[in-house]
Amino acid sequence: MRILLVQPSRWSPDGHANLTAVETLLTGAPPADLVVLPELAGSELPRREYLERLRGLAARARAAVVGGSHYAPAGAGKVNQGLAVSASGEVLAGYGKSHPYGVERDDGVVPAPIGDGFEVAGRRVRVLLCADLWYSGSLAGPPADVVVVPAFSVTQWPTPGPARSLWEHMSVARAYEFMTYVAVSDWHHEAGYHGQPCAGVTGLANPSPADGAGFFTAQPSAAVAAYELDFERLGRFRRNRADRSFAFTK
């Protein structure tokens, strides 16, 4: 499976502007099975408009798209939720953010169900929105072959380095514990949300790198990058873990 992670340089409260920027970035991108957008790519677009834009992106990319997320009304507040669509426009899954963070809660965002996974190219995909990755309980249920994380990694640090390091370590820990790839699509560190800067943590955590060193491949500057996922190697890793009584399945 080939996955494309998109890392735009600027976030706008106008979801159409964000998704138009993504369309531009994907022009000329290599073919892929799955494209992952960062959190809040749809900002506050109504669901109908958000879905319409995702279907257009998926058709042009000829790939399934995990559409980051958008805010939707929910009672007296709102929820942070998103959709995954196939290249043909079918809705593959809905998902939500179970752990709204800091400034979101101040802005009236309430918890939403994480949602179910879906299949792409015969592989099981789970979506966790940003801070949900930091709670291991978010990955309860059937094991996933790849966990994709649309993120907006706002940080209180004056530079992106500390938060980026924490995210990389957390991604590797989840990948190793749950024997899966973890792919994070974030905004570039130049982006900001409600006055808070982004860390720019886009990249891939691999629980079993061939060289024993590349547990996390960062994408600090590229707007779009492709990652090849080796599921034969992942299967060997899982079997080895099971043989050593570290795994919950063979």
Side-chain angles (χ1 to χ4, degrees):
M1 177 191 286
R2 176 182 286 166
I3 185 170
L4 294 183
L5 301 181
V6 184
Q7 183 176 243
S9 60
R10 294 284 191 276
W11 178 79
S12 170
D14 179 356
H16 284 301
N18 293 328
L19 295 173
T20 297
V22 169
E23 288 177 354
T24 301
L25 294 176
L26 288 173
T27 301
D33 300 291
L34 183 64
V35 176
V36 186
L37 310 187
E39 184 182 20
L40 293 180
S43 189
E44 301 205 29
L45 286 181
R47 179 186 172 93
R48 179 185 60 80
E49 295 178 32
Y50 171 69
L51 177 56
E52 181 180 343
R53 294 301 303 266
L54 295 187
R55 283 173 166 158
L57 277 170
R60 277 184 284 275
R62 298 181 181 179
V65 171
V66 173
S69 67
H70 71 131
Y71 285 138
K78 55 187 176 182
V79 291
N80 188 345
Q81 63 182 22
L83 295 170
V85 301
S86 70
S88 64
E90 174 191 2
V91 175
L92 298 171
Y95 49 85
K97 192 171 188 177
S98 180
H99 299 88
Y101 172 79
V103 67
E104 281 191 307
R105 286 188 174 274
D106 296 339
D107 200 32
V109 180
V110 297
I114 289 176
D116 299 322
F118 59 95
E119 285 195 2
V120 171
R123 296 294 173 176
R124 186 73 175 168
V125 181
R126 287 285 304 275
V127 183
L128 297 181
L129 280 176
C130 201
D132 285 349
L133 179 68
W134 294 70
Y135 299 83
S136 60
S138 299
L139 286 170
D145 295 308
V146 55
V147 175
V148 297
V149 186
F152 203 146
S153 61
V154 293
T155 176
Q156 299 179 68
W157 294 90
T159 61
R164 189 179 293 163
S165 180
L166 285 170
W167 267 92
E168 291 177 2
H169 282 82
M170 180 59 69
S171 298
V172 171
R174 293 287 176 260
Y176 198 82
E177 177 183 4
F178 291 94
M179 295 171 292
T180 183
Y181 290 102
V182 174
V184 183
S185 181
D186 192 16
W187 299 88
H188 192 270
H189 71 81
E190 294 175 350
Y193 180 74
H194 284 216
Q196 292 188 269
C198 186
V201 299
T202 303
L204 179 74
N206 180 349
S208 181
D211 61 3
F215 285 95
F216 191 90
T217 303
Q219 184 179 324
S221 58
V224 179
Y227 298 85
E228 302 284 348
L229 308 188
D230 184 346
F231 290 112
E232 289 188 7
R233 184 174 181 83
L234 182 66
R236 293 194 297 272
F237 170 69
R238 288 171 168 174
R239 290 190 293 274
N240 178 268
R241 293 265 292 171
D243 290 342
R244 294 185 295 136
S245 301
F246 280 114
F248 49 80
T249 184
K250 281 197 177 186

